Amino acid sequence: MQKNGASQNVLFYISTSASLAPPIVEGLGAAGLARNSQGWTRIILEKPFGRDLQGAHELNEIVSRVFDEPSVYRIDHYLGKETVQNIMMFRFGNSMFEPVWNRNYIEYIEITAAETLGVENRAAFYEETGALRDMVANHLLQLLTLTAMEPPVAFDADAVRGHKVEVLRAIPPMSKDVVARHTVRGQYGPGQIDGKPVPGYRQEKGVDPNSRTETYVAVEFHIDNWRWAGVPFYVRAGKRLANQLTEIAVHFKRTPQALFSRSPKDVHHNVITMRIQPNEGISVSFGAKQPGPQMRAIRVDMDFSYRDAFGGETPTAYETLLLDAMRGDATLFTRRDEVEAEWRIITPIEEAWAELPPPQFPNYAAGSEGPEAADGLIQYDRHRWRRLTRNGSDEDQ
Ligand code: BG6
């Protein structure tokens, strides 16, 4: 419908602190602005979607009293990134990867979001939030679901989101004991980034000098379903780390024989690395014969780079998502049950942390690889965190 040449469609965009979203949504409803007989009315909601399962549920209840679920677009900007959308394309648009994408071939999966930035001018928000809520509860669980989900019957909002929720439902909420073994918290102290000294978190403007807020988190998740039983998903996110780097590294099992190595320990394993940012691309590492008289394997990489293949300019995440919301395509937005399924996993960790002895903060220097305790999280000899190098992380071997 058009009036004076103008569209009557309405898109609200709410990006506020958690406490303000409910009264704003209720106010829109009370003012009669949530319905529009002349066109569509939609609402985009920015995170945080609550601080825990109960808060998220309450917010969803309020929103659902005012807007129908199909009109609600909960933004997680990671889903708009080209490289994140490409996870589904890589897996389901090719026939060679999916047959080996399961516990029979994959040993473990690492998902990393490392930043060199500190809290910048967001201390008030961050003090209340911490790395687990800020990054894992949304962005990293989204990367995990896209990596682990079953192939959808169609590329549409219901099919895709339905399968993502299935993954989240297969992650059992952790007991306190499991939280103690499968999670590590960190907070940065003073250090150096790019050769320049930077203060510790507790010295940042607006931060409590005794703050217990975590700026780093590592978690070992397990997905209890047919495809992934027994495959650890190691997930870590942190601020003020050695390099900026977001990636998913899929580690395949070693060959059953060490034909080209001195011992089984020397056998390289294949790794598919999806570099979400920067240096966007995908690499596949494999063993190749080192030229010379001996049959000796060394690791080499096949590399796809977005810049080389498509040039430098790709749409930003927000461009993509705002356009999708205007077109009415909710595939890359988080559904109500998905948000609550995320909090069902995260809230028990927060609750256990509140009861467990507080860690000795700060426990990593700005500009480092994170707390040493993160290495202790990994219990298998053959698994280890990749190092955070400038061009993407790497096997340290
Ligand atoms: C935001 C977090 O959601 O994501 C920030 O609140 C974080 O703390 C940011 O820095 C990271 O986004 P990106 O796109 O830079 O990886």
Side-chain angles (χ1 to χ4, degrees):
M1 235 336 153
Q2 305 246 309
K3 191 175 170 192
N4 303 329
S7 164
Q8 301 282 291
N9 298 327
V10 180
L11 181 59
F12 293 107
Y13 186 107
I14 313 293
S15 177
T16 65
S17 62
S19 59
L20 291 178
I24 292 173
V25 171
E26 281 170 331
L28 291 174
L33 292 170
R35 301 267 181 273
N36 169 11
S37 59
Q38 310 294 313
W40 51 252
T41 301
R42 297 181 188 139
I43 183 167
I44 297 180
L45 289 171
E46 272 280 358
K47 70 168 191 145
F49 312 117
R51 299 190 77 245
D52 54 20
L53 177 57
Q54 194 189 335
H57 182 74
E58 283 166 12
L59 176 61
N60 280 331
E61 285 293 300
I62 290 169
V63 171
S64 73
R65 284 201 287 275
V66 180
F67 291 92
D68 304 330
E69 178 64 23
S71 312
V72 182
Y73 290 74
R74 295 175 195 80
I75 263 193
D76 182 316
H77 78 280
Y78 264 56
L79 293 179
K81 291 178 190 278
E82 283 291 335
T83 45
V84 174
Q85 295 179 62
N86 192 50
I87 299 169
M88 277 188 282
M89 177 67 76
F90 182 76
R91 291 188 54 203
F92 307 135
N94 297 290
S95 61
M96 62 190 282
F97 305 114
E98 200 47 29
V100 294
W101 208 260
N102 57 54
R103 70 189 151 81
N104 297 322
Y105 297 92
I106 292 176
E107 171 102 13
Y108 65 103
I109 293 185
E110 253 178 292
I111 304 180
T112 297
E115 299 181 86
T116 50
L117 291 176
V119 280
E120 309 301 298
N121 52 4
R122 298 162 74 224
F125 161 79
Y126 203 82
E127 276 283 87
E128 291 291 305
T129 308
L132 182 68
R133 286 194 180 95
D134 189 39
M135 293 294 289
V136 181
N138 36 67
H139 308 322
L140 294 197
L141 281 181
Q142 288 294 327
L143 296 182
L144 183 148
T145 57
L146 292 170
T147 306
M149 69 188 277
E150 295 302 316
V153 70
F155 187 66
D156 64 37
D158 273 341
V160 170
R161 297 189 298 178
H163 278 325
K164 284 165 63 195
V165 172
E166 287 291 301
V167 174
L168 296 169
R169 285 184 52 205
I171 300 177
M174 293 182 198
S175 65
K176 199 164 102 183
D177 287 352
V178 176
V179 170
R181 278 185 284 119
H182 286 189
T183 70
V184 167
R185 291 172 268 179
Q187 187 192 76
Y188 61 85
Q192 291 208 338
I193 297 280
D194 288 334
K196 297 198 186 81
V198 294
Y201 178 70
R202 289 178 174 177
Q203 288 83 52
E204 302 268 17
K205 200 163 148 254
V207 170
D208 177 349
N210 298 311
S211 173
R212 291 195 178 157
T213 300
E214 82 285 358
T215 59
Y216 175 101
V217 58
V219 186
E220 176 181 339
F221 286 115
H222 284 267
I223 303 175
D224 285 353
N225 66 13
W226 196 273
R227 187 188 284 262
W228 294 116
V231 179
F233 282 69
Y234 302 109
V235 168
R236 60 181 165 167
K239 294 206 179 281
R240 288 286 194 228
L241 291 171
N243 278 298
Q244 189 219 346
L245 160 75
T246 302
E247 65 164 35
I248 301 164
V250 179
H251 297 258
F252 287 82
K253 294 191 168 169
R254 287 167 161 78
T255 51
Q257 266 188 298
L259 285 179
F260 307 118
S261 317
R262 279 184 225 104
S263 78
K265 275 190 97 177
D266 294 339
V267 176
H268 292 294
H269 64 285
N270 299 115
V271 184
I272 295 180
T273 309
M274 294 183 259
R275 297 190 302 272
I276 305 299
Q277 65 192 28
N279 189 20
E280 290 81 358
I282 296 179
S283 68
V284 179
S285 82
F286 57 97
K289 181 182 173 303
Q290 188 174 32
Q294 288 168 346
M295 283 296 275
R296 178 118 201 271
I298 57 159
R299 209 194 79 191
V300 294
D301 287 316
M302 278 195 299
D303 199 60
F304 150 65
S305 142
Y306 272 74
R307 182 162 307 131
D308 295 348
F310 303 122
E313 292 295 307
T314 52
T316 67
Y318 275 96
E319 280 169 351
T320 301
L321 294 173
L322 292 179
L323 188 61
D324 278 1
M326 287 188 257
R327 285 177 173 155
D329 183 350
T331 312
L332 301 178
F333 292 82
T334 322
R335 206 166 62 186
R336 171 183 179 155
D337 53 342
E338 204 174 344
V339 167
E340 292 186 19
E342 289 174 340
W343 283 118
R344 202 166 288 120
I345 297 164
I346 297 301
T347 303
I349 302 178
E350 293 283 359
E351 287 172 353
W353 280 356
E355 287 179 31
L356 289 165
Q360 297 297 310
F361 282 166
N363 58 355
Y364 70 99
S368 71
E369 297 265 332
E372 271 175 26
D375 294 331
L377 177 95
I378 296 186
Q379 286 148 35
Y380 299 94
D381 278 357
R382 291 173 161 190
H383 304 184
R384 65 163 77 170
W385 296 111
R386 285 155 64 91
R387 289 183 59 77
L388 305 170
T389 64
R390 191 169 284 278
N391 295 318
S393 68
D394 204 355
E395 307 300 299
D396 182 27
Q397 50 190 1

